[in-house]
Amino acid sequence: MSALLDIQELHVHYSDLAAIRGVSLHVDEGEVVCLVGPNGAGKSTMLAAVAGGVKPTSGSIRFDGGSLRSVRPEQIARLGVSLVPEGRQIFGTLTVEENLRIGGYISSDRKAAASDFDRLLVTFPRLKERLAYPAGRLSGGEQQMLAVARAVMTQPRLLLVDEPSLGLAPLIIEQIYKTLLELRAERGLTLFINEQSSARVLKYADRIYILRGGQIQLEGRASDLRDGDAIRKAYFGFSAGSQRAAENVA
């Protein structure tokens, strides 16, 4: 496999605050790669930088060999990178169908966009039942499905998914991930997902990166990272043993 997304020594600042500090990572074509870490780790900033919503201070972001550093968000989308944002950000006063059609506007191939619309209604039968509903009336899980479907309407090669499980019940989360993996298989999508739950990504990801304090603390294949203590140390900054020792001293 070749690296579809390649990030090297990336730094991102908000004024004087360093959100991303020298991160290097890659996502190979066809992979499911998850970026895991606590709140404030810089995960959403990383996806926003790839999608063009945040300007890096330094470093490189390359997609399919070409630089994305100075490319506008709408052009990045046309190149084949689509973001499912945190909190869904659907258009609540528009209908489900109108939200989906908006995703298709970026395509210059109207026939392909119409075909995609029909295929997605098979993938998301719940949305088909609610095409005429205002999107704001959907449940949280249905809104997340709509956000994913709208992003897929742009015909991406790389789908960036920011916190797909946020605020959802466990059964709905399982359904969302199952659908993402189905889309990967059907369309050859590459998935780069931001998650908080390390247990969940060990189940679904090919590889994971653990991000804390804007830096990569641990990386590897999910199948090789079954050591809960190593993941805990990378995620929280301490292992179970050191936590117990601190508690004994206290």
Side-chain angles (χ1 to χ4, degrees):
M1 288 188 291
S2 59
L4 185 63
L5 176 68
D6 185 65
I7 296 172
Q8 295 296 323
E9 288 297 319
L10 191 70
H11 292 259
V12 179
H13 289 76
Y14 297 109
S15 297
D16 294 330
L17 176 65
I20 300 294
R21 299 187 291 164
V23 167
S24 296
L25 59 82
H26 69 277
V27 180
D28 292 338
E29 191 158 11
E31 277 194 308
V32 178
V33 173
C34 286
L35 189 63
V36 193
N39 282 332
K43 305 187 305 296
S44 293
T45 297
M46 177 65 69
L47 296 193
V50 174
V54 173
K55 185 177 180 180
T57 309
S58 62
S60 66
I61 304 173
R62 302 188 72 82
F63 173 71
D64 199 21
S67 176
L68 299 182
R69 274 290 306 270
S70 59
V71 182
R72 298 189 305 275
E74 60 271 23
Q75 185 59 32
I76 290 175
R78 289 190 175 92
L79 290 172
V81 180
S82 190
L83 172 66
V84 181
E86 180 182 356
R88 275 82 80 173
Q89 296 184 21
I90 60 167
F91 300 102
T93 59
L94 300 182
T95 67
V96 170
E97 180 172 2
E98 288 167 337
N99 271 269
L100 289 173
R101 297 292 187 190
I102 286 172
Y105 287 157
I106 200 169
S107 174
S108 58
D109 188 338
R110 296 303 180 196
K111 186 175 181 180
S115 176
D116 258 0
F117 181 82
D118 293 337
R119 289 171 62 194
L120 283 169
L121 294 184
V122 175
T123 304
F124 297 94
R126 194 72 170 169
L127 297 182
K128 184 176 181 178
E129 296 171 5
R130 285 159 167 66
L131 277 178
Y133 275 50
R137 289 175 55 190
L138 299 179
S139 69
E142 290 167 343
Q143 289 185 9
Q144 184 66 69
M145 292 176 188
L146 177 57
V148 171
R150 182 182 61 188
V152 174
M153 279 291 293
T154 68
Q155 301 173 353
R157 293 176 62 194
L158 173 64
L159 189 64
L160 312 171
V161 190
D162 196 355
E163 296 279 14
S165 59
L166 187 66
L168 300 180
L171 285 176
I172 301 300
I173 296 170
E174 293 288 324
Q175 185 178 359
I176 293 295
Y177 269 91
K178 180 183 177 183
T179 302
L180 287 171
L181 293 180
E182 287 174 353
L183 288 168
R184 172 207 191 186
E186 292 170 4
R187 295 167 175 264
L189 280 178
T190 301
L191 300 172
F192 189 28
I193 303 173
N194 162 6
E195 254 291 354
Q196 283 195 44
S197 170
S198 58
R200 189 170 298 121
V201 302
L202 286 172
K203 181 177 180 181
Y204 293 112
D206 296 314
R207 290 189 301 110
I208 69 172
Y209 292 90
I210 296 183
L211 189 69
R212 177 168 50 82
Q215 295 180 305
I216 300 295
Q217 305 295 328
L218 183 69
E219 62 181 277
R221 297 198 65 81
S223 58
D224 296 331
L225 294 176
R226 302 297 181 184
D227 182 348
D229 204 45
I231 291 176
R232 188 179 299 108
K233 184 175 182 180
Y235 193 107
F236 294 108
F238 56 80
S239 66
S242 64
Q243 182 182 25
R244 285 193 294 269
E247 289 169 350
N248 290 336
V249 171

